């Protein structure tokens, strides 16, 4: 029996801060001794003052010099370890303009998706020229999506502190103090280039974990600054995803000063994410040798030939499987996981209450990129991470999913040509040129009408306002967020004039958008819901504690915010996972 279930979608207000602020220990402690607010599960910090860099029990205390040598050695080991990897790198940037009520708000946006060649030398000549066009100088002139060999310029510089010259000849290291980043005890060092050591050298702070002295975070910029140009500031985070290594995952950058009298005209904030390290072409051959061609029998109850209709469905399923497999291999689709189950629960709720009984269950998958889009192929609904992040509640998620469910119910099946496997043979970088799942305007209108009908019979019937409000907020911001609204595989939410067309009927019945109303959360900032494992591309829901909003500036709909991942050691994370199921499965009494 299928029941209507709550999908465990947390209420809006709790998601306004994308990652747990609790992870941030105050950075103002001046000595080695730490305040008492350390997580219970980790070892207490030693209260010995000064340079008490002693290791837990078994290890011999070490000097600062020895620690610095190990940091340098570990950084070179990481560079070596990653040199054959070509992960995906995605940068989303919002140019800012001051707004009296809302603070700095986006005035235009830019999006880049590419591959990062970790084996390349890093070219630091690509600094930001003040006079050159913004996009050209920031993105190194590369605007084409998903281009291979994206030179690790601009935002991906700070993958490493310094790829060539990270040593004592070029840098001075000063121990500052210890602090926790999430659950990981770290030593903080100030790193400054030596005099006349060269140009484009790192200047800032590094955090190293206190067991193997791997760098887990870098914060700073590059010096000396060239004439008429500058290097931007970056905050770069790594995650312990492989035993012994901390893998670059997030880079946040921000420039601009809106204080009174400032002449700083350039202002932006940008997030870069790196993932797909292990989307390896290697290993696929192992797969082949492991392949056991046992005598596989047809398991259908009555062995018989397929009817024309059954053949048609089998064909569509083959296309669906091909597309999903290919997208996952390109690093664009997360492997099946718990977030899919949350999405499927919502779809299921709509199906049950509408007595929809399809020959195959409808599935849902997560595309791991920022731009807001959905599409469906066969019986699978695909929804982007950026979209899931910004939806304020379960009802608005249901509204978005209902549009794709409507396409499936109405039999608007696209993509059956992909049942021919030769159509899967293209480079990952040309995925967007080879795949496309856009419906014509007539099917879009029909799907919207059907979606509203489905929603009115669903458990979300009384909460359609939140979906409408979300779309209104999107409409209000659409002119400034054209990159975020450019879909790459599915239909866009807006028409070519920037008007939101998707489910516009919901907008007419929604309450009016009110920026100053603190209890009205129309849309969330980016990054608030989905956490991506950069090594294996798995996604999971973020567990953030509720944070209350104190001003209209806290709302930040569709905006980029800094990263503050809760760092954990590999293994320690798995232990907490086990006791912390993400989906609450309560039946609510209906059906
Ligand atoms: Zn559609």
């Amino acid at each position: 029996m299928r029941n209507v279930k709550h999908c465990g979608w947390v209420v809006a207000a709790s998601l306004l801060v994308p990652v747990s602020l609790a992870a941030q220990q105050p950075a103002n402690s001046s000595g080695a001794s730490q305040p008492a607010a350390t997580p219970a599960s980790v070892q207490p910090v030693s209260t010995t003052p000064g340079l008490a860099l002693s290791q837990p029990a078994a290890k011999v205390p070490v000097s600062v010099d020895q620690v610095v040598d190990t940091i340098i050695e570990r950084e070179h080991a990481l560079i070596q370890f990653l040199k054959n990897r070509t992960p995906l790198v995605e940068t989303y940037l919002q140019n800012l303009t001051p707004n009296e009520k809302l603070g700095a708000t986006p005035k235009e946006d830019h999006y880049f998706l590419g591959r990062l060649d970790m084996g390349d030398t890093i070219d630091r000549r690509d600094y930001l020229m003040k006079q050159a066009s913004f996009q050209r100088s920031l993105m190194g002139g590369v605007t084409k999506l998903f281009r291979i060999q994206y030179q690790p310029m601009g935002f991906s510089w700070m993958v490493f502190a310094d790829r060539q010259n990270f040593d004592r000849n070029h840098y001075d290291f000063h121990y500052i103090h210890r602090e926790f980043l999430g659950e990981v005890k770290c030593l903080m060092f100030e790193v400054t280039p030596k005099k006349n050591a060269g140009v484009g050298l790192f200047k800032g702070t590094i955090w190293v974990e206190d067991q193997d002295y791997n760098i887990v975070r870098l914060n700073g910029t590059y010096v000396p600054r060239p004439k008429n140009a500058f290097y931007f500031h970056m905050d770069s985070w790594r995650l312990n995803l492989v035993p012994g290594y901390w893998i670059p995952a997030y880079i946040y950058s921000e420039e601009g000063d809106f204080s009174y009298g400032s002449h700083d005209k350039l202002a932006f904030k940008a997030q870069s994410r790196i993932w797909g390290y292990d989307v390896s072409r290697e290993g696929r051959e192992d797969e082949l040798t492991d392949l056991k061609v046992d005598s596989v029998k047809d398991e259908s109850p009555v062995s018989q030939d397929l009817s024309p209709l059954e053949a048609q469905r089998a064909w569509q399923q083959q296309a669906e499987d091909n597309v999903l497999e290919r997208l996952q291999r390109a690093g664009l689709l997360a492997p099946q996981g718990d977030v899919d189950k949350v999405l499927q629960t919502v779809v299921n709720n709509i199906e049950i209450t509408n007595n929809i009984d399809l020959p195959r269950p409808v599935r849902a998958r997560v595309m791991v990129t920022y731009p807001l889009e959905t599409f469906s192929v066969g019986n699978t609904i695909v929804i982007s991470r950026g979209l899931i992040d910004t939806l304020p509640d379960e009802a608005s998620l249901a509204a978005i999913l209902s549009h794709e469910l409507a396409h499936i119910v109405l039999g608007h099946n696209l993509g059956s040509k992909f049942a021919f496997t030769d159509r899967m043979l293209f480079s990952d970088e040309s995925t967007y040129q080879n795949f496309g799942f856009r419906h014509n305007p007539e099917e879009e209108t029909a799907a919207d009408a059907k979606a509203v009908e489905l929603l009115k019979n669903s458990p979300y019937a009384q909460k359609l306002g939140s979906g409408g409000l979300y779309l209104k907020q999107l409409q209000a911001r659409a002119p400034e967020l054209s990159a975020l609204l450019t879909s790459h595989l599915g239909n866009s939410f807006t028409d070519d004039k920037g008007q939101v067309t998707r489910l516009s009927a919901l907008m007419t019945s929604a309450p009016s958008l009110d920026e100053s109303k603190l209890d009205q959360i129309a849309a969330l900032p980016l990054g608030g819901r989905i956490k991506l494992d950069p090594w294996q591309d798995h996604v999971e829901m973020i567990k953030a504690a509720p944070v209350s909003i104190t001003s209209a500036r806290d709302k930040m709909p569709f905006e980029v915010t800094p990263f503050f991942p809760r760092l954990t050691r590999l293994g320690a994370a798995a232990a907490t996972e086990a006791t912390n199921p993400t989906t609450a499965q309560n039946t609510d009494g209906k059906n």
Side-chain angles (χ1 to χ4, degrees):
M1 287 301 322
R2 299 195 298 179
N3 288 317
V4 171
K5 288 171 182 171
H6 287 304
C7 73
W9 206 247
V10 200
V11 288
S14 70
L15 288 150
L16 275 165
V17 171
V19 275
S20 172
L21 275 180
Q24 182 179 10
Q25 292 290 315
N28 57 2
S29 43
S30 50
S33 59
Q34 274 281 327
T38 54
S41 59
V42 288
Q43 275 197 307
V45 183
S46 158
T47 49
T48 320
L51 299 178
L53 300 180
S54 56
Q55 283 287 290
K59 287 194 192 171
V60 191
V62 285
S63 71
V64 173
D65 273 353
Q66 283 171 293
V67 172
V68 168
D69 287 340
T70 315
I71 294 170
I72 291 169
E73 187 191 308
R74 292 307 303 155
E75 188 67 359
H76 288 286
L78 179 73
I79 292 168
Q80 190 64 21
F81 178 64
L82 294 178
K83 76 171 197 282
N84 294 324
R85 305 275 166 179
T86 54
L88 285 139
V89 59
E90 183 185 40
T91 295
Y92 179 57
L93 179 149
Q94 295 179 332
N95 283 358
L96 305 174
T97 187
N99 175 303
E100 207 180 312
K101 220 192 272 177
L102 302 175
T105 55
K107 71 172 178 196
E108 60 169 342
D109 65 344
H110 298 284
Y111 177 71
F112 179 82
L113 177 64
R115 272 197 192 281
L116 187 63
D117 192 334
M118 309 288 284
D120 267 7
T121 52
I122 295 175
D123 188 345
R124 295 249 166 76
R125 283 170 304 174
D126 184 54
Y127 42 69
L128 184 58
M129 301 297 292
K130 267 186 175 165
Q131 59 272 38
S133 99
F134 196 73
Q135 178 145 357
R136 233 190 88 219
S137 47
L138 282 180
M139 308 299 193
V142 179
T143 53
K144 200 172 147 199
L145 283 170
F146 220 158
R147 199 185 110 148
I148 195 157
Q149 296 251 322
Y150 171 44
Q151 289 289 326
M153 296 172 177
F155 293 100
S156 11
W157 281 347
M158 277 191 50
V159 165
F160 305 116
D162 187 327
R163 207 179 184 295
Q164 272 96 40
N165 302 313
F166 195 66
D167 55 40
R168 284 177 182 279
N169 293 332
H170 293 81
Y171 290 99
D172 288 321
F173 296 79
H174 297 288
Y175 171 75
I176 305 171
H177 65 206
R178 290 190 292 188
E179 65 178 33
F180 274 94
L181 291 179
E183 292 171 10
V184 178
K185 200 188 341 172
C186 295
L187 310 177
M188 252 174 101
F189 285 84
E190 191 182 276
V191 179
T192 45
K194 286 192 189 293
K195 251 191 188 151
N196 304 320
V199 292
L201 295 178
F202 175 71
K203 182 189 179 189
T205 306
I206 57 172
W207 285 254
V208 299
E209 43 86 20
D210 75 336
Q211 285 180 13
D212 302 317
Y213 306 117
N214 289 298
I215 297 177
V216 302
R217 182 184 178 193
L218 307 128
N219 178 305
T221 186
Y222 294 95
V223 288
R225 167 188 161 144
K227 264 186 193 166
N228 299 320
F230 63 92
Y231 293 108
F232 28 83
H233 289 83
M234 280 170 272
D235 189 25
S236 175
W237 292 79
R238 297 176 179 177
L239 303 176
N240 189 194
L241 303 167
V242 182
Y245 293 96
W246 287 72
I247 307 299
Y250 309 108
I251 302 165
Y252 175 72
S253 191
E254 185 185 287
E255 293 295 338
D257 179 4
F258 290 119
S259 61
Y260 183 71
S262 163
H263 296 290
D264 205 348
K265 286 202 187 87
L266 179 91
F268 71 83
K269 45 187 181 175
Q271 286 187 346
S272 295
R273 290 165 182 263
I274 308 167
W275 77 87
Y277 282 98
D278 208 27
V279 181
S280 47
R281 276 129 280 266
E282 324 135 33
R284 302 200 73 228
E285 282 173 16
D286 301 348
E287 218 172 86
L288 207 61
T289 50
D290 284 351
L291 199 66
K292 292 191 185 80
V293 189
D294 291 334
S295 52
V296 180
K297 266 195 175 175
D298 188 351
E299 285 171 8
S300 53
V302 187
S303 191
Q304 59 188 24
D305 295 326
L306 296 185
S307 72
L309 178 59
E310 284 168 324
Q312 173 70 17
R313 285 178 181 160
W315 185 250
Q316 283 166 354
Q317 181 169 0
Q318 191 175 318
E320 175 183 339
D321 293 346
N322 284 348
V323 167
L324 296 175
E325 201 268 340
R326 189 68 190 83
L327 284 175
Q328 188 177 324
R329 197 146 45 85
L332 295 173
L333 197 72
Q336 285 183 46
D338 288 344
V339 179
D340 302 344
K341 288 180 199 152
V342 172
L343 303 172
Q344 273 159 222
T345 305
V346 175
V347 172
N348 203 27
N349 289 346
I350 304 172
E351 284 186 281
I352 300 162
T353 43
N354 282 281
N355 297 314
I356 295 169
D357 201 8
L358 296 163
R360 280 192 298 129
V362 174
R363 307 202 176 282
R365 297 287 293 273
V366 181
M367 193 161 145
V368 295
T369 46
Y370 282 95
L372 311 182
E373 62 180 311
T374 61
F375 64 92
S376 47
V377 52
N379 271 28
T380 299
I381 297 172
V382 178
I383 176 167
S384 68
R385 174 179 56 78
L387 185 52
I388 300 176
D389 272 349
T390 53
L391 288 165
D393 56 15
E394 186 174 335
S396 56
L397 174 67
I400 298 301
L401 292 172
S402 71
H403 174 90
E404 295 301 338
L405 179 62
H407 279 308
I408 293 172
V409 170
L410 295 171
H412 295 169
N413 209 303
L414 290 180
S416 65
K417 69 174 183 180
F418 299 116
F420 290 106
T421 47
D422 64 286
R423 292 203 164 107
M424 301 299 116
L425 301 178
F426 51 79
S427 67
D428 291 352
E429 293 73 29
S430 62
T431 302
Y432 289 162
Q433 285 81 54
N434 283 278
F435 276 165
F437 307 95
R438 291 183 183 87
H439 293 274
N440 62 33
E442 292 73 28
E443 287 189 349
E444 281 300 284
T445 311
D448 276 347
K450 183 72 182 173
V452 172
E453 184 192 314
L454 297 176
L455 288 169
K456 284 186 173 158
N457 288 325
S458 79
Y460 310 104
Q462 302 310 312
K463 300 167 200 151
L464 297 186
S466 71
L469 206 53
Y470 175 83
L471 294 167
K472 275 188 172 176
Q473 181 71 71
L474 194 58
Q475 179 63 73
R477 289 270 166 116
E480 290 84 36
L481 302 179
S482 57
L484 191 64
L485 279 161
T486 301
S487 62
H488 299 283
L489 293 173
N491 285 85
S492 175
F493 276 74
T494 50
D495 62 16
D496 48 11
K497 292 183 193 75
Q499 289 295 309
V500 172
T501 48
R502 179 81 55 94
L503 291 166
S504 51
L506 293 184
M507 279 197 276
T508 19
S509 57
S512 57
L513 195 64
D514 187 350
E515 287 163 348
S516 52
K517 231 176 129 186
L518 294 189
D519 61 346
Q520 186 191 75
I521 309 297
L524 306 185
L526 288 159
R529 288 198 186 277
I530 300 290
K531 191 160 73 175
L532 172 67
D533 171 338
W535 196 256
Q536 304 207 301
D537 298 357
H538 287 286
V539 288
E540 59 176 296
M541 305 297 284
I542 286 171
K543 298 156 203 125
V547 177
S548 60
I549 292 173
T550 55
S551 82
R553 294 184 181 203
D554 285 350
K555 292 191 183 183
M556 303 185 287
F558 306 109
E559 288 181 27
V560 163
T561 62
F563 290 112
F564 240 103
R566 182 169 182 80
L567 298 188
T568 50
R569 291 186 184 277
L570 189 68
T576 19
E577 281 315 294
T579 57
N580 228 337
T582 41
T583 47
Q585 300 240 316
N586 308 318
T587 51
D588 70 354
K590 289 187 189 178
N591 271 31

